[in-house]
Amino acid sequence: ETGVTQTPRHLVMGMTNKKSLKCEQHLGHNAMYWYKQSAKKPLELMFVYNFKEQTENNSVPSRFSPECPNSSHLFLHLHTLQPEDSALYLCASSRITTSGDNEQFFGPGTRLTVL
Amino acid sequence: AQKITQTQPGMFVQEKEAVTLDCTYDTSDQSYGLFWYKQPSSGEMIFLIYQGSYDEQNATEGRYSLNFQKARKSANLVISASQLGDSAMYFCAMRVSGGYQKVTFGTGTKLQVIP
């Protein structure tokens, strides 16, 4: 596998279910991100991890719980979601530098539907 | 606060013609980076091109070039010799110095290339 992978690609869940999204990067990066992409809205940053430490939580509801066991893996645990949480969830990774030109590499996303 | 504005929700271009996708940004920071990403229907965000605020020359990457006008705070993407595979959503994004991992995205422009 190369780049950034995400599983599953599609997920349908009920409001009472618990599920997890998985992201893995094979690029040797040390920062990972979760984004939410809803229809007709800008991409929303949810969480940022540097070297496994969470450095950004963009006022995300507690029903979303991230986990970063190492710099290559990132999870998003979901529980008691709402229908408005239905969206494309994108994972990204980047190499931390101070220069600013470190673009983020994205995975293909998980299309989540909450019934 | 940073803001990215993409005023063209949709654009059409004839195959082999050039097209310009507009992007304006707002920031009070002097040091920042501007990115363009392409998102095909498959969902993955693909990095296209980067421009640093102190770069004097416009960035170019193959058929992509970034028309950077700092005084106007615009960073338009120019795609030359459009191909059918260029049909996708295009997002302009910005990162400011210090918030080197926090990227703000625009709402995107849907480009359709006509044969």
Side-chain angles (χ1 to χ4, degrees), chain A residues 14-55:
Chain A
M15 291 166 61
T16 58
N17 293 156
K18 288 185 180 181
K19 296 286 184 184
S20 295
L21 309 185
K22 179 182 175 182
C23 175
E24 185 173 357
Q25 59 95 2
H26 310 268
L27 300 168
H29 290 163
N30 44 25
M32 296 188 77
Y33 314 76
W34 279 117
Y35 286 90
K36 175 183 178 182
Q37 187 177 29
S38 305
K40 299 183 181 178
K41 291 176 71 174
L43 215 60
E44 300 172 58
L45 179 65
M46 300 174 73
F47 301 104
V48 181
Y49 277 83
N50 286 341
F51 295 103
K52 306 185 297 177
E53 304 235 344
Q54 186 180 128
T55 57

mmCIF file of all heavy atoms in Angstrom, chain A residues 14-55:
data_model
loop_
_atom_site.group_PDB
_atom_site.id
_atom_site.type_symbol
_atom_site.label_atom_id
_atom_site.label_comp_id
_atom_site.label_asym_id
_atom_site.label_seq_id
_atom_site.Cartn_x
_atom_site.Cartn_y
_atom_site.Cartn_z
ATOM 1 N N GLY A 14 -26.605 3.127 12.293
ATOM 2 C CA GLY A 14 -27.718 3.698 13.014
ATOM 3 C C GLY A 14 -27.215 4.632 14.100
ATOM 4 O O GLY A 14 -26.027 4.652 14.436
ATOM 5 N N MET A 15 -28.131 5.398 14.645
ATOM 6 C CA MET A 15 -27.751 6.407 15.628
ATOM 7 C C MET A 15 -27.242 5.792 16.927
ATOM 8 O O MET A 15 -26.530 6.440 17.688
ATOM 9 C CB MET A 15 -28.931 7.344 15.892
ATOM 10 C CG MET A 15 -29.262 8.232 14.693
ATOM 11 S SD MET A 15 -30.857 9.057 14.802
ATOM 12 C CE MET A 15 -30.651 10.037 16.255
ATOM 13 N N THR A 16 -27.572 4.537 17.166
ATOM 14 C CA THR A 16 -27.130 3.916 18.420
ATOM 15 C C THR A 16 -25.881 3.050 18.250
ATOM 16 O O THR A 16 -25.366 2.495 19.209
ATOM 17 C CB THR A 16 -28.254 3.056 19.016
ATOM 18 O OG1 THR A 16 -28.630 2.058 18.053
ATOM 19 C CG2 THR A 16 -29.460 3.912 19.364
ATOM 20 N N ASN A 17 -25.411 2.927 17.014
ATOM 21 C CA ASN A 17 -24.244 2.084 16.760
ATOM 22 C C ASN A 17 -22.950 2.724 17.234
ATOM 23 O O ASN A 17 -22.863 3.942 17.406
ATOM 24 C CB ASN A 17 -24.123 1.788 15.255
ATOM 25 C CG ASN A 17 -25.240 0.916 14.732
ATOM 26 O OD1 ASN A 17 -25.539 0.939 13.551
ATOM 27 N ND2 ASN A 17 -25.861 0.144 15.609
ATOM 28 N N LYS A 18 -21.935 1.863 17.355
ATOM 29 C CA LYS A 18 -20.564 2.333 17.576
ATOM 30 C C LYS A 18 -19.706 1.749 16.465
ATOM 31 O O LYS A 18 -19.726 0.538 16.229
ATOM 32 C CB LYS A 18 -20.018 1.830 18.916
ATOM 33 C CG LYS A 18 -20.609 2.489 20.138
ATOM 34 C CD LYS A 18 -19.901 1.984 21.395
ATOM 35 C CE LYS A 18 -20.486 2.639 22.633
ATOM 36 N NZ LYS A 18 -19.807 2.178 23.867
ATOM 37 N N LYS A 19 -18.980 2.603 15.796
ATOM 38 C CA LYS A 19 -18.105 2.156 14.719
ATOM 39 C C LYS A 19 -16.808 2.953 14.775
ATOM 40 O O LYS A 19 -16.724 3.987 15.459
ATOM 41 C CB LYS A 19 -18.774 2.373 13.343
ATOM 42 C CG LYS A 19 -20.034 1.563 13.112
ATOM 43 C CD LYS A 19 -19.730 0.108 12.863
ATOM 44 C CE LYS A 19 -21.008 -0.645 12.533
ATOM 45 N NZ LYS A 19 -20.744 -2.103 12.388
ATOM 46 N N SER A 20 -15.813 2.501 14.014
ATOM 47 C CA SER A 20 -14.542 3.221 13.945
ATOM 48 C C SER A 20 -14.082 3.352 12.507
ATOM 49 O O SER A 20 -14.228 2.414 11.719
ATOM 50 C CB SER A 20 -13.478 2.482 14.751
ATOM 51 O OG SER A 20 -13.802 2.475 16.115
ATOM 52 N N LEU A 21 -13.529 4.506 12.204
ATOM 53 C CA LEU A 21 -12.882 4.721 10.916
ATOM 54 C C LEU A 21 -11.381 4.592 11.126
ATOM 55 O O LEU A 21 -10.840 5.042 12.141
ATOM 56 C CB LEU A 21 -13.197 6.116 10.369
ATOM 57 C CG LEU A 21 -14.651 6.541 10.321
ATOM 58 C CD1 LEU A 21 -14.781 7.897 9.645
ATOM 59 C CD2 LEU A 21 -15.515 5.510 9.659
ATOM 60 N N LYS A 22 -10.734 4.006 10.122
ATOM 61 C CA LYS A 22 -9.289 3.788 10.239
ATOM 62 C C LYS A 22 -8.553 4.503 9.113
ATOM 63 O O LYS A 22 -9.013 4.542 7.978
ATOM 64 C CB LYS A 22 -8.975 2.294 10.172
ATOM 65 C CG LYS A 22 -7.483 1.964 10.268
ATOM 66 C CD LYS A 22 -7.248 0.474 10.133
ATOM 67 C CE LYS A 22 -5.757 0.162 10.111
ATOM 68 N NZ LYS A 22 -5.500 -1.281 9.928
ATOM 69 N N CYS A 23 -7.412 5.063 9.457
ATOM 70 C CA CYS A 23 -6.556 5.729 8.481
ATOM 71 C C CYS A 23 -5.125 5.259 8.705
ATOM 72 O O CYS A 23 -4.675 5.157 9.851
ATOM 73 C CB CYS A 23 -6.651 7.241 8.642
ATOM 74 S SG CYS A 23 -5.534 8.166 7.574
ATOM 75 N N GLU A 24 -4.431 5.008 7.604
ATOM 76 C CA GLU A 24 -3.031 4.598 7.700
ATOM 77 C C GLU A 24 -2.231 5.332 6.634
ATOM 78 O O GLU A 24 -2.655 5.412 5.484
ATOM 79 C CB GLU A 24 -2.912 3.090 7.514
ATOM 80 C CG GLU A 24 -1.512 2.550 7.725
ATOM 81 C CD GLU A 24 -1.466 1.031 7.701
ATOM 82 O OE1 GLU A 24 -2.545 0.398 7.573
ATOM 83 O OE2 GLU A 24 -0.358 0.479 7.813
ATOM 84 N N GLN A 25 -1.094 5.876 7.049
ATOM 85 C CA GLN A 25 -0.249 6.550 6.060
ATOM 86 C C GLN A 25 1.093 5.829 5.954
ATOM 87 O O GLN A 25 1.670 5.403 6.946
ATOM 88 C CB GLN A 25 -0.075 8.039 6.393
ATOM 89 C CG GLN A 25 0.547 8.362 7.729
ATOM 90 C CD GLN A 25 2.039 8.595 7.683
ATOM 91 O OE1 GLN A 25 2.645 8.552 6.607
ATOM 92 N NE2 GLN A 25 2.642 8.854 8.829
ATOM 93 N N HIS A 26 1.561 5.697 4.712
ATOM 94 C CA HIS A 26 2.786 4.953 4.402
ATOM 95 C C HIS A 26 3.834 5.899 3.847
ATOM 96 O O HIS A 26 4.662 5.507 3.017
ATOM 97 C CB HIS A 26 2.461 3.866 3.371
ATOM 98 C CG HIS A 26 1.286 3.025 3.729
ATOM 99 N ND1 HIS A 26 1.393 1.848 4.420
ATOM 100 C CD2 HIS A 26 -0.046 3.204 3.507
ATOM 101 C CE1 HIS A 26 0.191 1.340 4.602
ATOM 102 N NE2 HIS A 26 -0.699 2.136 4.067
ATOM 103 N N LEU A 27 3.799 7.156 4.289
ATOM 104 C CA LEU A 27 4.660 8.191 3.725
ATOM 105 C C LEU A 27 5.741 8.667 4.687
ATOM 106 O O LEU A 27 6.488 9.577 4.360
ATOM 107 C CB LEU A 27 3.783 9.393 3.309
ATOM 108 C CG LEU A 27 2.722 9.057 2.260
ATOM 109 C CD1 LEU A 27 1.716 10.201 2.127
ATOM 110 C CD2 LEU A 27 3.372 8.770 0.920
ATOM 111 N N GLY A 28 5.780 8.086 5.863
ATOM 112 C CA GLY A 28 6.761 8.518 6.852
ATOM 113 C C GLY A 28 6.470 9.878 7.439
ATOM 114 O O GLY A 28 7.365 10.528 7.993
ATOM 115 N N HIS A 29 5.226 10.321 7.361
ATOM 116 C CA HIS A 29 4.853 11.627 7.915
ATOM 117 C C HIS A 29 4.681 11.540 9.420
ATOM 118 O O HIS A 29 4.535 10.454 9.992
ATOM 119 C CB HIS A 29 3.560 12.119 7.270
ATOM 120 C CG HIS A 29 3.732 12.497 5.837
ATOM 121 N ND1 HIS A 29 2.658 12.628 4.966
ATOM 122 C CD2 HIS A 29 4.828 12.777 5.099
ATOM 123 C CE1 HIS A 29 3.111 12.978 3.773
ATOM 124 N NE2 HIS A 29 4.417 13.068 3.832
ATOM 125 N N ASN A 30 4.675 12.707 10.052
ATOM 126 C CA ASN A 30 4.534 12.715 11.507
ATOM 127 C C ASN A 30 3.351 13.534 11.997
ATOM 128 O O ASN A 30 3.214 13.803 13.183
ATOM 129 C CB ASN A 30 5.836 13.200 12.164
ATOM 130 C CG ASN A 30 6.400 14.396 11.445
ATOM 131 O OD1 ASN A 30 5.672 15.131 10.799
ATOM 132 N ND2 ASN A 30 7.704 14.591 11.539
ATOM 133 N N ALA A 31 2.505 13.951 11.075
ATOM 134 C CA ALA A 31 1.278 14.645 11.471
ATOM 135 C C ALA A 31 0.114 14.035 10.713
ATOM 136 O O ALA A 31 0.238 13.697 9.529
ATOM 137 C CB ALA A 31 1.369 16.136 11.164
ATOM 138 N N MET A 32 -1.013 13.877 11.391
ATOM 139 C CA MET A 32 -2.201 13.302 10.765
ATOM 140 C C MET A 32 -3.426 14.121 11.143
ATOM 141 O O MET A 32 -3.459 14.762 12.200
ATOM 142 C CB MET A 32 -2.375 11.835 11.172
ATOM 143 C CG MET A 32 -1.224 10.956 10.687
ATOM 144 S SD MET A 32 -1.493 9.190 10.957
ATOM 145 C CE MET A 32 -2.637 8.810 9.608
ATOM 146 N N TYR A 33 -4.428 14.084 10.274
ATOM 147 C CA TYR A 33 -5.581 14.978 10.400
ATOM 148 C C TYR A 33 -6.868 14.230 10.076
ATOM 149 O O TYR A 33 -6.879 13.344 9.228
ATOM 150 C CB TYR A 33 -5.473 16.134 9.391
ATOM 151 C CG TYR A 33 -4.130 16.808 9.315
ATOM 152 C CD1 TYR A 33 -3.055 16.205 8.664
ATOM 153 C CD2 TYR A 33 -3.935 18.073 9.868
ATOM 154 C CE1 TYR A 33 -1.825 16.827 8.581
ATOM 155 C CE2 TYR A 33 -2.712 18.702 9.788
ATOM 156 C CZ TYR A 33 -1.663 18.076 9.140
ATOM 157 O OH TYR A 33 -0.438 18.698 9.068
ATOM 158 N N TRP A 34 -7.947 14.653 10.713
ATOM 159 C CA TRP A 34 -9.289 14.267 10.287
ATOM 160 C C TRP A 34 -10.038 15.512 9.830
ATOM 161 O O TRP A 34 -10.029 16.538 10.518
ATOM 162 C CB TRP A 34 -10.078 13.631 11.436
ATOM 163 C CG TRP A 34 -9.791 12.190 11.704
ATOM 164 C CD1 TRP A 34 -9.269 11.657 12.840
ATOM 165 C CD2 TRP A 34 -10.046 11.079 10.833
ATOM 166 N NE1 TRP A 34 -9.162 10.303 12.718
ATOM 167 C CE2 TRP A 34 -9.631 9.915 11.499
ATOM 168 C CE3 TRP A 34 -10.574 10.958 9.539
ATOM 169 C CZ2 TRP A 34 -9.730 8.643 10.929
ATOM 170 C CZ3 TRP A 34 -10.658 9.696 8.981
ATOM 171 C CH2 TRP A 34 -10.244 8.559 9.679
ATOM 172 N N TYR A 35 -10.681 15.375 8.654
ATOM 173 C CA TYR A 35 -11.526 16.432 8.121
ATOM 174 C C TYR A 35 -12.930 15.868 7.883
ATOM 175 O O TYR A 35 -13.099 14.696 7.563
ATOM 176 C CB TYR A 35 -11.008 16.923 6.765
ATOM 177 C CG TYR A 35 -9.773 17.771 6.799
ATOM 178 C CD1 TYR A 35 -8.506 17.193 6.712
ATOM 179 C CD2 TYR A 35 -9.863 19.158 6.868
ATOM 180 C CE1 TYR A 35 -7.367 17.979 6.715
ATOM 181 C CE2 TYR A 35 -8.727 19.953 6.867
ATOM 182 C CZ TYR A 35 -7.488 19.359 6.786
ATOM 183 O OH TYR A 35 -6.352 20.144 6.781
ATOM 184 N N LYS A 36 -13.910 16.771 7.949
ATOM 185 C CA LYS A 36 -15.276 16.428 7.587
ATOM 186 C C LYS A 36 -15.648 17.254 6.357
ATOM 187 O O LYS A 36 -15.453 18.470 6.345
ATOM 188 C CB LYS A 36 -16.239 16.740 8.737
ATOM 189 C CG LYS A 36 -17.706 16.512 8.398
ATOM 190 C CD LYS A 36 -18.605 16.916 9.558
ATOM 191 C CE LYS A 36 -20.076 16.726 9.212
ATOM 192 N NZ LYS A 36 -20.975 17.170 10.313
ATOM 193 N N GLN A 37 -16.202 16.585 5.356
ATOM 194 C CA GLN A 37 -16.636 17.289 4.158
ATOM 195 C C GLN A 37 -18.126 17.039 3.946
ATOM 196 O O GLN A 37 -18.530 15.941 3.590
ATOM 197 C CB GLN A 37 -15.848 16.842 2.920
ATOM 198 C CG GLN A 37 -16.166 17.668 1.690
ATOM 199 C CD GLN A 37 -15.333 17.276 0.492
ATOM 200 O OE1 GLN A 37 -14.913 16.131 0.356
ATOM 201 N NE2 GLN A 37 -15.064 18.230 -0.395
ATOM 202 N N SER A 38 -18.917 18.078 4.191
ATOM 203 C CA SER A 38 -20.357 18.013 3.958
ATOM 204 C C SER A 38 -20.669 18.702 2.640
ATOM 205 O O SER A 38 -19.896 19.540 2.172
ATOM 206 C CB SER A 38 -21.111 18.707 5.088
ATOM 207 O OG SER A 38 -20.739 18.173 6.336
ATOM 208 N N ALA A 39 -21.814 18.367 2.087
ATOM 209 C CA ALA A 39 -22.213 18.942 0.793
ATOM 210 C C ALA A 39 -22.286 20.460 0.893
ATOM 211 O O ALA A 39 -22.835 21.002 1.842
ATOM 212 C CB ALA A 39 -23.562 18.369 0.376
ATOM 213 N N LYS A 40 -21.680 21.115 -0.101
ATOM 214 C CA LYS A 40 -21.756 22.570 -0.249
ATOM 215 C C LYS A 40 -21.189 23.345 0.941
ATOM 216 O O LYS A 40 -21.571 24.484 1.182
ATOM 217 C CB LYS A 40 -23.201 23.002 -0.523
ATOM 218 C CG LYS A 40 -23.756 22.406 -1.807
ATOM 219 C CD LYS A 40 -25.149 22.880 -2.129
ATOM 220 C CE LYS A 40 -25.636 22.231 -3.416
ATOM 221 N NZ LYS A 40 -27.015 22.608 -3.764
ATOM 222 N N LYS A 41 -20.297 22.735 1.684
ATOM 223 C CA LYS A 41 -19.617 23.428 2.783
ATOM 224 C C LYS A 41 -18.119 23.233 2.628
ATOM 225 O O LYS A 41 -17.673 22.218 2.084
ATOM 226 C CB LYS A 41 -20.065 22.869 4.136
ATOM 227 C CG LYS A 41 -21.500 23.185 4.487
ATOM 228 C CD LYS A 41 -21.913 22.525 5.787
ATOM 229 C CE LYS A 41 -21.293 23.130 6.997
ATOM 230 N NZ LYS A 41 -21.825 22.548 8.261
ATOM 231 N N PRO A 42 -17.329 24.183 3.121
ATOM 232 C CA PRO A 42 -15.878 23.995 3.049
ATOM 233 C C PRO A 42 -15.455 22.798 3.891
ATOM 234 O O PRO A 42 -16.137 22.422 4.841
ATOM 235 C CB PRO A 42 -15.319 25.294 3.641
ATOM 236 C CG PRO A 42 -16.437 26.267 3.596
ATOM 237 C CD PRO A 42 -17.685 25.481 3.702
ATOM 238 N N LEU A 43 -14.331 22.266 3.528
ATOM 239 C CA LEU A 43 -13.747 21.193 4.311
ATOM 240 C C LEU A 43 -13.509 21.694 5.739
ATOM 241 O O LEU A 43 -12.947 22.767 5.939
ATOM 242 C CB LEU A 43 -12.411 20.817 3.694
ATOM 243 C CG LEU A 43 -11.954 19.364 3.720
ATOM 244 C CD1 LEU A 43 -12.935 18.484 2.985
ATOM 245 C CD2 LEU A 43 -10.572 19.244 3.097
ATOM 246 N N GLU A 44 -13.935 20.893 6.727
ATOM 247 C CA GLU A 44 -13.806 21.312 8.124
ATOM 248 C C GLU A 44 -12.742 20.469 8.811
ATOM 249 O O GLU A 44 -12.871 19.241 8.861
ATOM 250 C CB GLU A 44 -15.132 21.112 8.867
ATOM 251 C CG GLU A 44 -16.311 21.870 8.309
ATOM 252 C CD GLU A 44 -17.595 21.434 9.003
ATOM 253 O OE1 GLU A 44 -17.678 21.552 10.244
ATOM 254 O OE2 GLU A 44 -18.516 20.953 8.316
ATOM 255 N N LEU A 45 -11.734 21.124 9.355
ATOM 256 C CA LEU A 45 -10.730 20.410 10.131
ATOM 257 C C LEU A 45 -11.335 19.978 11.460
ATOM 258 O O LEU A 45 -11.951 20.787 12.171
ATOM 259 C CB LEU A 45 -9.530 21.314 10.378
ATOM 260 C CG LEU A 45 -8.393 20.728 11.199
ATOM 261 C CD1 LEU A 45 -7.729 19.572 10.472
ATOM 262 C CD2 LEU A 45 -7.372 21.815 11.521
ATOM 263 N N MET A 46 -11.153 18.714 11.799
ATOM 264 C CA MET A 46 -11.691 18.194 13.065
ATOM 265 C C MET A 46 -10.581 18.036 14.105
ATOM 266 O O MET A 46 -10.658 18.586 15.198
ATOM 267 C CB MET A 46 -12.377 16.846 12.843
ATOM 268 C CG MET A 46 -13.539 16.887 11.876
ATOM 269 S SD MET A 46 -14.191 15.234 11.545
ATOM 270 C CE MET A 46 -15.031 14.866 13.089
ATOM 271 N N PHE A 47 -9.572 17.259 13.770
ATOM 272 C CA PHE A 47 -8.494 16.957 14.716
ATOM 273 C C PHE A 47 -7.150 16.964 14.004
ATOM 274 O O PHE A 47 -7.061 16.644 12.826
ATOM 275 C CB PHE A 47 -8.690 15.563 15.340
ATOM 276 C CG PHE A 47 -9.975 15.373 16.075
ATOM 277 C CD1 PHE A 47 -11.009 14.639 15.500
ATOM 278 C CD2 PHE A 47 -10.155 15.901 17.340
ATOM 279 C CE1 PHE A 47 -12.205 14.450 16.177
ATOM 280 C CE2 PHE A 47 -11.339 15.717 18.025
ATOM 281 C CZ PHE A 47 -12.365 14.996 17.440
ATOM 282 N N VAL A 48 -6.109 17.340 14.777
ATOM 283 C CA VAL A 48 -4.738 17.276 14.288
ATOM 284 C C VAL A 48 -3.897 16.545 15.318
ATOM 285 O O VAL A 48 -4.028 16.806 16.527
ATOM 286 C CB VAL A 48 -4.141 18.686 14.065
ATOM 287 C CG1 VAL A 48 -2.716 18.582 13.531
ATOM 288 C CG2 VAL A 48 -5.000 19.498 13.111
ATOM 289 N N TYR A 49 -3.051 15.659 14.839
ATOM 290 C CA TYR A 49 -2.099 14.972 15.703
ATOM 291 C C TYR A 49 -0.687 15.210 15.190
ATOM 292 O O TYR A 49 -0.409 15.051 14.002
ATOM 293 C CB TYR A 49 -2.369 13.466 15.721
ATOM 294 C CG TYR A 49 -3.443 13.047 16.682
ATOM 295 C CD1 TYR A 49 -4.788 13.121 16.331
ATOM 296 C CD2 TYR A 49 -3.118 12.588 17.951
ATOM 297 C CE1 TYR A 49 -5.774 12.760 17.224
ATOM 298 C CE2 TYR A 49 -4.106 12.205 18.849
ATOM 299 C CZ TYR A 49 -5.430 12.295 18.483
ATOM 300 O OH TYR A 49 -6.403 11.932 19.369
ATOM 301 N N ASN A 50 0.199 15.630 16.117
ATOM 302 C CA ASN A 50 1.634 15.729 15.844
ATOM 303 C C ASN A 50 2.335 14.677 16.667
ATOM 304 O O ASN A 50 2.200 14.683 17.890
ATOM 305 C CB ASN A 50 2.188 17.090 16.297
ATOM 306 C CG ASN A 50 1.785 18.205 15.393
ATOM 307 O OD1 ASN A 50 1.403 17.970 14.268
ATOM 308 N ND2 ASN A 50 1.875 19.426 15.890
ATOM 309 N N PHE A 51 3.092 13.826 16.021
ATOM 310 C CA PHE A 51 3.852 12.817 16.779
ATOM 311 C C PHE A 51 2.962 12.126 17.813
ATOM 312 O O PHE A 51 3.325 11.975 18.975
ATOM 313 C CB PHE A 51 5.035 13.468 17.509
ATOM 314 C CG PHE A 51 6.077 14.045 16.605
ATOM 315 C CD1 PHE A 51 6.147 15.401 16.407
ATOM 316 C CD2 PHE A 51 6.982 13.234 15.949
ATOM 317 C CE1 PHE A 51 7.117 15.944 15.575
ATOM 318 C CE2 PHE A 51 7.950 13.765 15.122
ATOM 319 C CZ PHE A 51 8.013 15.129 14.939
ATOM 320 N N LYS A 52 1.795 11.764 17.400
ATOM 321 C CA LYS A 52 0.817 11.033 18.221
ATOM 322 C C LYS A 52 0.111 11.896 19.264
ATOM 323 O O LYS A 52 -0.748 11.415 19.983
ATOM 324 C CB LYS A 52 1.451 9.836 18.952
ATOM 325 C CG LYS A 52 2.185 8.852 18.069
ATOM 326 C CD LYS A 52 2.668 7.659 18.868
ATOM 327 C CE LYS A 52 3.672 8.082 19.920
ATOM 328 N NZ LYS A 52 4.105 6.940 20.765
ATOM 329 N N GLU A 53 0.462 13.156 19.367
ATOM 330 C CA GLU A 53 -0.191 14.015 20.366
ATOM 331 C C GLU A 53 -1.223 14.905 19.680
ATOM 332 O O GLU A 53 -0.928 15.545 18.672
ATOM 333 C CB GLU A 53 0.856 14.893 21.061
ATOM 334 C CG GLU A 53 1.986 14.135 21.703
ATOM 335 C CD GLU A 53 2.130 14.482 23.163
ATOM 336 O OE1 GLU A 53 1.571 15.503 23.605
ATOM 337 O OE2 GLU A 53 2.805 13.712 23.870
ATOM 338 N N GLN A 54 -2.392 14.975 20.292
ATOM 339 C CA GLN A 54 -3.436 15.800 19.697
ATOM 340 C C GLN A 54 -3.118 17.268 19.935
ATOM 341 O O GLN A 54 -2.925 17.696 21.079
ATOM 342 C CB GLN A 54 -4.799 15.462 20.316
ATOM 343 C CG GLN A 54 -5.955 16.183 19.637
ATOM 344 C CD GLN A 54 -7.314 15.856 20.256
ATOM 345 O OE1 GLN A 54 -8.064 16.723 20.610
ATOM 346 N NE2 GLN A 54 -7.614 14.573 20.393
ATOM 347 N N THR A 55 -3.040 18.044 18.871
ATOM 348 C CA THR A 55 -2.724 19.461 18.996
ATOM 349 C C THR A 55 -3.876 20.356 18.576
ATOM 350 O O THR A 55 -3.812 21.566 18.725
ATOM 351 C CB THR A 55 -1.500 19.821 18.133
ATOM 352 O OG1 THR A 55 -1.777 19.458 16.779
ATOM 353 C CG2 THR A 55 -0.261 19.095 18.610
#
